C-alpha cells in the first residue's frame, strides 16, 4: 500500500482520497462513483468544444403498451455462428433491430421519467455536463423490468458468451448529458467484481446515437487489452486514459466508433477496451446498460474501489462466494433451475 499523497482528486473522500491504492472499498454512492470516474477522461484540456449540435426532431412513433414491449422482448433474436465468432474475436458486436423504434421511444420516455424523479433534472433541459447513472430500476419499474430481464437480450448474451445460463449483474441507465466529456478508456474486467471472463454488457441506446452524441466505441480485436495490461490505473487523474490512447495509437489499433441506428444494440465482453466521445448535442445520450455473467461465477476475493457500490447488486454475497443473490436472477434460459 502506498501512503504518500502525491496526487489528489477532489471527488474522492476518506481513504479513497488518501493514497494511490485501489484495493479498498468505494466510500460513496453510485452517482458519486460516476462523477469521479468521468474526471479520469482526457478531454484535451478543452471542456468547451463550442456550441452544442441541435439534432433533427425524431419522427413520431406509436408507443407500444407495457404488454407489447414485454411480448417483443420475449421473442428470440437468432444469431448466426459468424456473429458469435466475430464477437469472440473482436470483443463486441453491434446488432441491428434488436428493439423496434416504438420500444426504443418507450424506453427513453420511461428512463427520462425515472432520471427526472431521482435527479430533479430534465435530461434535455440544456447542458449540465454530468454523466448521470441510475441502477436497479428493474426493481421499481415494471416496464424497465421487461427490458432488463428480457429473454431476447439475455439469450443473445448467453449465445455470444457460449454459456448455458446467464444471471443479471445489474441494470444501469446512463445519461450522458449535453456537454458532458469523454468516457475514459477501460475494460469492464476492472469494474465488475466477478471472478470470470464470461461477462457481457448489452448497451441499449434509448435513441439513435449520431457521432456527435458520443456512441460507445470499441478497440479491436479483443486481444488489444494485452497491449495495455501493464499500464497502471491512476485514480487521481487522466494519465491512465491518456496512456491507453497513446498505446493504441502507437500500435495502430482500429477503433469502431460509428453511430448507432434506432434499435441497434451493442454487446461487449468484459475484456473489450471501450470509450465514448463527448456528447456535443443538445439531447441527452440515454442508454440502458444491462450486464450479465455466466451462472456459477464467484465474486472476486478482493474487489477494488473501481467496482463501486457492488454490494448493492449482489447483496449478502461475500468475496469468494458464488454470485447468486436474489437480485441476480437467471435471465436465460427462462425458468431455469437456480444453482443457489
Ligand atoms: O456509456 C458510456 O459512455 C460508458 C458505458 C460503459 O463503459 C459500459 O457500459 O461498459
Amino acid at each position: 500500500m502506498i501512503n504518500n499523497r502525491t496526487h489528489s482528486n477532489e471527488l474522492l473522500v476518506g481513504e479513497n482520497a488518501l493514497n494511490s491504492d485501489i484495493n479498498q472499498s468505494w466510500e460513496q454512492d453510485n452517482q458519486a462513483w460516476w462523477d469521479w470516474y468521468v474526471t479520469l477522461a482526457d478531454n484535451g484540456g478543452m471542456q468547451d468544444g463550442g456550441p452544442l449540435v441541435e439534432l433533427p426532431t425524431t419522427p413520431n412513433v406509436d408507443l407500444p403498451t407495457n404488454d407489447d414491449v414485454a411480448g417483443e422482448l420475449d421473442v428470440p433474436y437468432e444469431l448466426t455462428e459468424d456473429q458469435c465468432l466475430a464477437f469472440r474475436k473482436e470483443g463486441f458486436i453491434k446488432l441491428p433491430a434488436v428493439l423496434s423504434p416504438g420500444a426504443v421511444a418507450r424506453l427513453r420516455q420511461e428512463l427520462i421519467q425515472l432520471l427526472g424523479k431521482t435527479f430533479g433534472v430534465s435530461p434535455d433541459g440544456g447542458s449540465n455536463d454530468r454523466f448521470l447513472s441510475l441502477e436497479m430500476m428493474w426493481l421499481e419499474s415494471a416496464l424497465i423490468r421487461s427490458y432488463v430481464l428480457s429473454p431476447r437480450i439475455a439469450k443473445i448474451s448467453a449465445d455470444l458468451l457460449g454459456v448455458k445460463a446467464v444471471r443479471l449483474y445489474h441494470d444501469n441507465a446512463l445519461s450522458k448529458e449535453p456537454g458532458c466529456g469523454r468516457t475514459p478508456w477501460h475494460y469492464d474486467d476492472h469494474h465488475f467484481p466477478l471472478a470470470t471472463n464470461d461477462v457481457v454488457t448489452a448497451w441499449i441506446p434509448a435513441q439513435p446515437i449520431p457521432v456527435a452524441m458520443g456512441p460507445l466505441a470499441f478497440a479491436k480485436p479483443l486481444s488489444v487489452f494485452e497491449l495495455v495490461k501493464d499500464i497502471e490505473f491512476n485514480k487521481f487523474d487522466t494519465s491512465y486514459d491518456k496512456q491507453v490512447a497513446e498505446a493504441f495509437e502507437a500500435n495502430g489499433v482500429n477503433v469502431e466508433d460509428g453511430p448507432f441506428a434506432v434499435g441497434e444494440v451493442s454487446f461487449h465482453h468484459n475484456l473489450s477496451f471501450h470509450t465514448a466521445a463527448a456528447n456535443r448535442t443538445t439531447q441527452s445520450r440515454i442508454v440502458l446498460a444491462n450486464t450479465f455473467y455466466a451462472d456459477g461465477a464467484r465474486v472476486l476475493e478482493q474487489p477494488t474501489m473501481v467496482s463501486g457500490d457492488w454490494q448493492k447488486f449482489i447483496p449478502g454475497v461475500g468475496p469468494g462466494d458464488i454470485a447468486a443473490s436474489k437480485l441476480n436472477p437467471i435471465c436465460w434460459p427462462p425458468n431455469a433451475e437456480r444453482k443457489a
Side-chain angles (χ1 to χ4, degrees), residues 228-295:
V228 292
K229 65 178 189 307
D230 294 329
I231 298 176
E232 203 180 337
F233 181 74
N234 185 318
K235 66 183 183 183
F236 297 121
D237 61 30
T238 59
S239 58
Y240 179 78
D241 181 47
K242 271 190 199 147
Q243 287 179 71
V244 171
E246 281 162 16
F248 287 165
E249 176 90 35
N251 286 280
V253 169
N254 280 323
V255 177
E256 159 53 49
D257 57 2
F260 283 64
V262 66
E264 189 170 18
V265 173
S266 66
F267 292 79
H268 61 269
H269 188 269
N270 73 326
L271 295 176
S272 164
F273 256 81
H274 52 282
T275 179
N279 180 2
R280 298 303 311 161
T281 74
T282 55
Q283 213 183 87
S284 298
R285 191 216 64 182
I286 301 181
V287 167
L288 174 65
N290 299 335
T291 298
F292 303 96
Y293 60 91
D295 181 31

Side-chain angles (χ1 to χ4, degrees), residues 180-202:
C180 180
R182 289 183 53 249
T183 305
W185 276 112
H186 67 280
Y187 67 175
D188 296 343
D189 190 42
H190 216 152
H191 291 228
F192 302 137
L194 296 166
T196 176
N197 282 327
D198 285 330
V199 185
V200 63
T201 296

Side-chain angles (χ1 to χ4, degrees), residues 15-16 64 67 104 123 137 174 184 190 231 256 293:
E15 201 186 335
N16 292 167
D67 284 350
V104 172
M137 292 158 297
L174 302 173
H190 216 152
I231 298 176
E256 159 53 49
Y293 60 91

